[in-house]
Amino acid sequence: MTISNSNSPIARREALQDRLEQLTRMVEIRAVEERIQKLFAEGHVRGSTHLANGQEAVSVGIARSIDPDDIVTCTYRGHGHALALGVTPAAVLGEICGRVIGCAGGLGGSMHLVEPSVGLLPTAAIIGAGLPIACGAAMAARARGNDRIAVSIFGDGSANIGAFHESLNFAAIRKLPVVFVCENNLYGEYTRIQLSTPVEDIAVRAGSYNMPSDIVDGQDSDKVAEAMAKAVARARRGEGPTLVEMKTYRYSGHSRSDPATYRPAGELDAWLKRDPIDILANRLVGENVLAEGGLDKLKADVRDAVEAATAEVLESPGPALDEIMSHVGAYSAGGDQRWNFWSK
């Protein structure tokens, strides 16, 4: 039994310990991303959207390996991570459509998803911005004397900016409890990695900071979870940070109107043959968790649930104009406690 339709982010996170729920969540992420593209075409989305269809195994593998108390930072391509961590489809779709039902009350949009109850800090539109923020979260955990860790999720393009090197260096010097996760999907926006990066594997850069690293098949959620479990355990033991590189691929272009015509012929087809949903579904059939042909029914059920969430979103109003300055300014102890990540 799955509980993907639960309205509780915590319950949705806890459900990821169930094997069938892991597959269901990956199917849900794919279905939500596809619906986002349609919502944009229908005129319900203002601004841009950045899909990560094809990278579902990374999101679910990470989420099932950490605790809801742990802090996660990620990029504007963060819909899948938000859903995997426990944010509901209605909350994600609502935020992207600018409705009050959204996880930030419709004030943030596609690139600024947030859910304190499951550790998701506001996703960042600035390339690499989450790296130093994760270091700060790790420092806060250490100062408070708890065993919380931070996870910073970023793309291969971020590995070429100063914040990447500064954050890894700082985390290594201080032995901070942080896991740096690079989603290497081969493209930084529209540029293929070999045109911008002189190394094939981002993970080799960890050696410059005397930091352990791992290179993982990002299409296999079990391998993602296995690598994350090692890095997370190391961080909790006080042994410092790890750089984990996930080899993955996004099926869509960079943003909502990019047809990705710059990709070499046959590249997308090759990656589609290793679709992360199919990989896990086939494994679950072998484990007698999923019946033969059960994936088709699961996809249909999830699509129905996503359509129901979409209808709920479109019936929800947008925020009032006087909300425009909400949550702008310094945090105060008497302020809105929804955004207090450090109360635990």
Side-chain angles (χ1 to χ4, degrees):
M1 170 180 279
T2 67
I3 57 171
S4 281
N5 291 329
S6 170
N7 288 323
S8 166
I10 290 291
R12 280 170 53 82
R13 171 71 75 82
E14 292 174 349
L16 282 185
Q17 298 311 308
D18 177 79
R19 291 291 277 164
L20 185 57
E21 180 64 20
Q22 292 163 17
L23 177 63
T24 303
R25 193 67 56 83
M26 288 169 63
V27 172
E28 177 187 87
I29 293 170
R30 179 76 56 85
V32 168
E33 294 282 53
E34 290 172 350
R35 195 65 183 88
I36 290 169
Q37 189 73 357
K38 292 179 182 177
L39 284 166
F40 183 88
E42 294 164 358
H44 296 295
V45 180
R46 297 179 181 179
S48 191
T49 55
H50 303 82
L51 308 183
N53 39 358
Q55 301 180 196
E56 295 85 359
V58 178
S59 299
V60 171
I62 291 173
R64 61 186 260 210
S65 306
I66 61 177
D67 295 337
D69 281 349
D70 296 326
I71 296 298
V72 178
T73 68
C74 61
T75 72
Y76 51 75
R77 202 179 302 280
H79 312 149
H81 295 302
L83 291 163
L85 291 170
V87 185
T88 66
V92 170
L93 291 166
E95 191 57 38
I96 291 169
C97 291
R99 308 301 176 99
V100 295
I101 196 175
C103 57
L107 301 174
S110 175
M111 294 190 269
H112 302 292
L113 307 178
V114 58
E115 181 46 64
S117 68
V118 289
L120 179 63
L121 285 176
T123 57
I126 299 173
I127 301 298
L131 286 144
I133 293 172
C135 289
M139 288 184 69
R142 174 174 292 172
R144 289 174 176 270
N146 58 47
D147 68 347
R148 298 168 82 178
I149 61 109
V151 177
S152 177
I153 307 169
F154 54 95
D156 48 282
S158 295
N160 290 330
I161 69 170
F164 169 84
H165 298 281
E166 292 166 5
S167 297
L168 267 66
N169 185 74
F170 185 76
I173 289 293
R174 297 296 185 97
K175 283 195 171 182
L176 295 179
V178 57
V179 180
F180 297 104
V181 180
C182 177
E183 291 183 289
N184 186 351
N185 60 26
L186 301 182
Y187 290 90
E189 293 193 345
Y190 316 98
T191 304
R192 209 173 194 284
I193 188 169
Q194 75 268 19
L195 299 176
S196 64
T197 308
V199 294
E200 181 177 350
D201 300 319
I202 301 297
V204 302
R205 291 179 168 174
S208 299
Y209 307 104
N210 196 26
M211 182 187 301
S213 63
D214 204 351
I215 299 175
V216 183
D217 178 2
Q219 303 306 91
D220 189 325
S221 62
D222 289 337
K223 291 181 179 178
V224 171
E226 180 182 358
M228 284 297 300
K230 293 178 183 177
V232 168
R234 182 173 182 275
R236 291 201 204 282
R237 291 194 301 266
E239 297 174 12
T242 304
L243 174 60
V244 184
E245 179 181 1
M246 307 292 183
K247 302 285 192 179
T248 187
Y249 195 80
R250 54 175 162 85
Y251 297 159
S252 299
H254 167 62
S255 60
R256 77 277 185 268
S257 58
D258 174 21
T261 54
Y262 44 79
R263 293 191 292 210
E267 181 179 87
L268 174 59
D269 292 335
W271 280 91
L272 285 169
K273 291 177 181 177
R274 298 202 69 251
D275 187 279
I277 292 174
D278 292 338
I279 288 173
L280 182 57
N282 291 335
R283 186 170 297 149
L284 294 188
V285 169
E287 295 174 4
N288 295 317
V289 173
L290 181 70
E292 290 280 358
L295 180 59
D296 290 338
K297 183 180 186 306
L298 178 59
K299 287 181 177 179
D301 290 344
V302 169
R303 279 195 298 269
D304 289 345
V306 170
E307 284 304 315
T310 301
E312 183 182 6
V313 164
L314 296 181
E315 291 172 359
S316 176
L321 184 60
D322 59 9
E323 286 285 304
I324 194 170
M325 297 302 291
S326 296
H327 316 298
V328 177
Y331 173 79
S332 65
D336 191 334
Q337 296 298 310
R338 289 182 299 168
W339 314 116
N340 186 2
F341 284 81
W342 318 115
S343 60
K344 298 179 183 179

